[in-house]
Amino acid sequence: MTEHDVQCAICDYLEIRRICYWAVPNGGKRSRSESARFKKEGVRSGVPDLTIVYDGMYYGLEVKKPATRTPKGYLSKNQKSMIKQIEDVGGGEVKVVYSVADVIEAFIDWGISV
């Protein structure tokens, strides 16, 4: 299972639950000029893959590939830094997730009804 597969399954779950969410398409290869333009427009490295707004709060989901025949995905230095920044300002919480089950567990921790 790829990170893409996991994120698609999570999005299906969020749709079924009618949760307000959106993806943050920060990944992928870009030309130097396109990267500079995006940076100027506010694109930030390390932002969680999915943004959820629930009951006036920000929640981020950083989606990673689960361990299969290859090792599970891991956080980059920029992702660790951004998660810390989000949590330090007190305006939101972020979880690293590898499956829909992890999202359900995060929702329980956050007090979002499953």
Side-chain angles (χ1 to χ4, degrees):
M1 179 171 275
T2 67
E3 188 172 303
H4 169 80
D5 296 331
V6 174
Q7 186 160 329
C8 288
I10 290 168
C11 289
D12 288 344
Y13 172 73
L14 296 174
E15 285 290 327
I16 290 167
R17 294 284 326 288
R18 296 185 175 171
I19 298 289
C20 176
Y21 79 97
W22 57 87
V24 179
N26 275 359
K29 301 249 186 245
R30 295 189 173 93
S31 68
R32 196 171 274 155
S33 63
E34 188 175 27
S35 292
R37 186 176 57 104
F38 279 5
K39 186 174 183 177
K40 215 169 176 152
E41 291 176 356
V43 173
R44 304 265 322 267
S45 177
V47 172
D49 297 305
L50 294 169
T51 294
I52 295 171
V53 177
Y54 185 86
D55 201 23
M57 277 287 292
Y58 165 91
Y59 298 96
L61 296 174
E62 180 57 46
V63 181
K64 292 296 177 194
K65 181 191 97 51
T68 54
R69 292 184 190 148
T70 59
K72 69 181 185 176
Y74 60 91
L75 294 174
S76 70
K77 179 182 171 188
N78 288 347
Q79 288 168 330
K80 289 176 186 175
S81 175
M82 180 58 73
I83 289 169
K84 182 176 180 342
Q85 185 178 357
I86 290 167
E87 293 178 342
D88 283 354
V89 299
E93 296 185 47
V94 179
K95 294 278 187 182
V96 178
V97 295
Y98 300 87
S99 66
V100 173
D102 288 347
V103 173
I104 292 169
E105 188 175 307
F107 279 14
I108 291 168
D109 289 348
W110 292 333
I112 298 174
S113 62
V114 295

